[in-house]
Amino acid sequence: MSSLLFDTHAHYTDSKFEDPITLLKSLFESDVCGVMCCGWDIQSSKDSIHLANEFKNMYCSAGIHPENCVDIEDMNSSIDEIKLLCSEDKVKAIGEIGLDYYWEIPKKKQQDFFDAQLSLAEELDMPVIIHDRDAHGDVFDIIRSHKKVRGVMHGYSGSAESARQYANMGFYISFPGTITFKNAAKLPEAVLTVPKERIVVETDCPYLTPVPFRGKLNHSGYMKYTASKVAELLKMDYNEFCELEVQNAKNLFDTK
Ligand SMILES: [Zn+2]
């Protein structure tokens, strides 16, 4: 049995990583057997493709994050660019996309970008990676209006009840390092509510570092703390959980 994990959400093109190639080489030797490197705008989506091409089991997503739609004037042409990037071999999902009501971003504009990218995912039959910050109700309503959409709720922070609803709609729920925090609140309940076949874990690195490294730069090597917390909640053997998580992530992103 293997204790390797699949990091379903990372940002190794973030400038905080000074030498991502060397770091990823060592992570692929000891900690992970798969990494999804997420884009947040056109440039980071292109950068993620370049980085993913360096490693056999590294994949990437292309998409426009709600915070990054603000400065884009021509939505349709940027969606066309995302569509073009989606034809690259390593691009396995559209993301990260969604709504962020924490920051002062015009809601209508975010919703239009979210809606258009969900339509693109349906058209291309690709999974989506959803960002939902303080916008649970609207995210749910917009997703529900796209009947064929599938994917993952990244960095899950919602209720156990809505986790169950998303799982019923065919979505995966991705738990981040915050589940190791003492004030993780409703997250343990969400883990126990979702069918095991729908659970994956992530770093969202360089952010959301789990205990005991909270405050440091996050990377996929720290995901074992997140995974062991989830395994403990599920009362599963750690290695058994790792095998399940990797299989779930591969099913999510249609990778071998
Ligand atoms: Zn992210």
Side-chain angles (χ1 to χ4, degrees):
M1 273 214 185
S2 159
S3 62
L4 299 178
L5 290 160
F6 193 126
D7 188 349
T8 66
H9 196 105
H11 298 286
Y12 283 106
T13 61
D14 189 291
S15 59
K16 289 194 180 66
F17 289 111
E18 284 170 16
D19 183 2
I21 301 262
T22 305
L23 173 61
L24 281 158
K25 259 185 198 147
S26 86
L27 290 170
F28 274 112
E29 277 164 17
S30 54
D31 297 285
V32 288
C33 58
V35 172
M36 169 54 70
C37 188
C38 301
W40 60 84
D41 60 8
I42 304 283
Q43 188 56 51
S44 61
S45 298
K46 288 180 180 168
D47 294 345
S48 298
I49 294 170
H50 286 133
L51 192 56
N53 282 336
E54 297 286 325
F55 298 92
K56 181 169 170 278
N57 296 321
M58 185 152 177
Y59 308 95
C60 59
S61 71
I64 298 161
H65 186 287
E67 275 181 65
N68 300 91
C69 71
V70 187
D71 301 324
I72 301 176
E73 276 166 25
D74 184 349
M75 181 177 83
N76 291 334
S77 76
S78 63
I79 300 291
D80 286 346
E81 277 196 78
I82 295 295
K83 184 176 179 178
L84 197 63
L85 296 176
C86 285
S87 63
E88 294 274 340
D89 275 357
K90 284 298 187 85
V91 179
K92 299 292 185 191
I94 293 179
E96 57 180 292
I97 60 173
L99 300 176
D100 195 317
Y101 292 172
Y102 179 80
W103 303 105
E104 288 284 317
I105 310 161
K107 288 187 179 175
K108 173 79 170 75
K109 190 163 189 180
Q110 297 187 46
Q111 290 164 0
D112 288 348
F113 271 81
F114 187 29
D115 197 50
Q117 292 179 98
L118 289 173
S119 296
L120 179 64
E122 286 180 304
E123 181 193 330
L124 301 178
D125 190 23
M126 288 175 77
V128 290
I129 299 169
I130 305 287
H131 171 97
D132 169 7
R133 192 169 187 194
D134 298 346
H136 300 328
D138 285 353
V139 166
F140 187 75
D141 289 345
I142 294 175
I143 288 178
R144 220 172 28 171
S145 70
H146 292 265
K147 297 288 176 230
K148 287 188 296 178
V149 90
R150 62 194 167 93
V152 59
M153 301 306 294
H154 124 73
Y156 193 71
S157 64
S159 68
E161 172 58 18
S162 61
R164 193 184 55 77
Q165 284 177 315
Y166 280 119
N168 285 345
M169 286 154 64
F171 271 76
Y172 290 78
I173 310 295
S174 183
F175 293 96
T178 43
I179 194 144
T180 64
F181 297 178
K182 278 210 175 64
N183 60 356
K186 346 161 244 192
L187 284 185
E189 197 192 332
V191 168
L192 295 172
T193 309
V194 176
K196 283 206 272 285
E197 293 67 33
R198 293 284 161 189
I199 293 178
V200 288
V201 290
E202 65 171 68
T203 55
D204 202 12
C205 65
Y207 310 104
L208 300 186
T209 315
V211 172
F213 295 100
R214 197 174 173 179
K216 292 208 171 146
L217 188 76
N218 198 8
H219 61 66
S220 309
Y222 293 154
M223 203 168 45
K224 52 175 84 80
Y225 300 98
T226 307
S228 65
K229 180 71 196 179
V230 175
E232 180 195 314
L233 287 164
L234 294 172
K235 297 190 169 59
M236 270 180 91
D237 170 72
Y238 180 71
N239 290 341
E240 204 182 314
F241 174 74
C242 293
E243 299 239 324
L244 173 76
E245 194 272 340
V246 170
Q247 191 54 55
N248 292 347
K250 287 179 176 177
N251 294 342
L252 159 62
F253 296 125
D254 300 322
T255 64
K256 294 274 150 28

